[in-house]
Amino acid sequence: MSSRELLGESTADPHLPERRRSRRATHSSAAAAALEVNQEPPFRMASRELHPESSVVCAGGVEIGAGRLVVMAGPCSVESRQQIRATARRVKAAGADMLRGGAYKPRTSPYDFQGLGRKALGWLAEAGRESGLPVVTEVLSPEDVDLVAEYADLLQVGARNMQNYALLRRLASGSKPVLLKRGPSATIREWLLAAEYLLSGGNARVVLCERGIRTFETATRNTLDLAGVALAKQLTHLPVIVDPSHATGKRALVVPASRAAAAVGADGLLIEVHPCPGRALSDGEQSLNPDEFEELMVTLRSLAFCAGV
Ligand code: PEP
Ligand code: MN
């Protein structure tokens, strides 16, 4: 089935834009010749149709998409040197592959904690070095890309910024891999086209992250689109990971949602862990404490064992 059919789009649309029709003439590769113009995938570089083999993205020495579930864990926000160092030690001991922590926080309210900025980046990088974990952190604006890239191994584009094209263009010409979160109201097509900005701009190291979408349901913070993860894996060769913390908003749902994500074929997990979730400055209600995270890792190991991976 073609990408267009998988996305529920007509493959016999006679009203395709002129530009797309005329592109046929400029294609010279065998793959292009095999494609009817109206079956051409909407995202060319991200598409599995033109690149059937799964891509492996390397971030700070960790391979994402190589068949092993990669776990990134840490607090929503870096709150102090001591907090991030303690968290790094515990998540590393439990088997995490990467350390997360926000220095620049995109908050719904301007009155909420906005992150500690440059100071927090330094503490995060230090905790990562000490524990032997590469780090992932969010970059909010194009002007911050160079600074954040000095400290981070993987640059996160947050859900609210998925369609910030100035930021995507800037990251496309940078040297660091990018973790592209799905926007809360973005379709899978829009998500993959956002990835296409990075790929077509010259950065092949892109990892996608499903973190829940907005639906009528308010009992969970967002709705985890697990079928969307499976579909994205069919549509693109890029690795796809899941953030069960923001997807559910509830600590008690993080473990079952993580298991489900692993079962549906996700390449990794991004999980919020705080030494004392009750005192967290952001997202405490969805953060696991280090003991809970350790239990989750044991569960995931047995799941991987059962699945034979
Ligand atoms: C986060 O990872 O802490 C975060 C703000 O995520 P999202 O962009 O998915 O809301
Ligand atoms: Mn958070």
Side-chain angles (χ1 to χ4, degrees):
M1 207 185 250
S2 74
S3 306
R4 287 188 177 278
E5 285 169 302
L6 281 167
L7 285 166
E9 294 178 8
S10 167
T11 55
D13 182 357
H15 306 299
L16 281 166
E18 194 55 41
R19 195 175 51 76
R20 188 177 290 288
R21 246 179 274 145
S22 66
R23 209 185 271 145
R24 181 186 223 168
T26 61
H27 275 313
S28 56
S29 73
L35 282 171
E36 280 304 314
V37 74
N38 60 357
Q39 287 173 4
E40 186 178 288
F43 23 83
R44 293 194 286 162
M45 297 184 75
S47 172
R48 231 186 234 285
E49 277 183 76
L50 302 181
H51 188 302
E53 255 173 48
S54 295
S55 289
V56 176
V57 173
C58 191
V62 172
E63 291 192 333
I64 307 162
R68 194 179 65 83
L69 192 75
V70 168
V71 179
M72 309 173 190
C76 178
S77 303
V78 177
E79 298 169 3
S80 70
R81 184 168 181 234
Q82 191 270 338
Q83 173 241 21
I84 191 67
R85 290 171 85 193
T87 312
R89 267 197 302 277
R90 290 295 307 271
V91 299
K92 168 71 181 181
D97 300 284
M98 293 184 74
L99 178 65
R100 67 149 286 155
Y104 297 92
K105 296 304 302 175
R107 304 305 301 279
T108 303
S109 166
Y111 306 115
D112 287 341
F113 178 64
Q114 303 285 309
L116 298 175
R118 185 189 287 253
K119 195 164 56 174
L121 285 177
W123 292 335
L124 176 69
E126 178 193 39
R129 271 194 310 276
E130 249 177 32
S131 58
L133 295 173
V135 302
V136 51
T137 196
E138 177 160 358
V139 57
L140 279 180
S141 66
E143 308 84 73
D144 293 337
V145 169
D146 287 337
L147 175 70
V148 179
E150 273 178 41
Y151 294 91
D153 299 288
L154 178 62
L155 300 180
Q156 177 174 322
V157 173
R160 295 158 181 84
N161 263 327
M162 187 202 85
Q163 287 180 313
N164 179 340
Y165 299 118
L167 179 60
L168 296 178
R169 285 210 177 88
R170 183 67 193 73
L171 289 164
S173 60
S175 58
K176 287 283 164 86
V178 177
L179 180 64
L180 180 64
K181 285 195 155 191
R182 180 180 180 185
S185 303
T187 63
I188 289 171
R189 187 181 200 276
E190 288 164 340
W191 186 24
L192 295 177
L193 283 169
E196 196 77 13
Y197 269 84
L198 296 164
L199 300 172
S200 64
N203 192 342
R205 298 199 289 163
V206 179
V207 179
L208 299 165
C209 179
E210 156 64 24
R211 45 76 74 204
I213 52 174
R214 180 164 291 195
T215 68
F216 61 85
E217 182 58 79
T218 53
T220 48
R221 184 176 178 183
N222 291 289
T223 296
L224 175 54
D225 186 7
L226 283 171
V229 173
L231 178 56
K233 290 284 299 172
Q234 290 179 16
L235 287 167
T236 179
H237 54 90
L238 298 172
V240 183
I241 73 165
V242 167
D243 171 348
S245 307
H246 292 86
T248 64
K250 290 188 158 88
R251 183 176 309 124
L253 298 178
V254 170
V255 173
S258 298
R259 293 169 60 98
V264 88
D267 295 295
L269 296 168
L270 180 68
I271 297 175
E272 288 187 336
V273 180
H274 192 284
C276 180
R279 287 210 225 117
L281 296 181
S282 59
D283 287 348
E285 60 295 338
Q286 67 191 33
S287 301
L288 301 182
N289 68 36
D291 291 341
E292 290 165 335
F293 178 69
E294 207 177 294
E295 275 172 47
L296 168 63
M297 292 301 284
V298 172
T299 311
L300 290 174
R301 266 198 291 275
S302 59
L303 194 73
F305 181 72
C306 292
V309 276

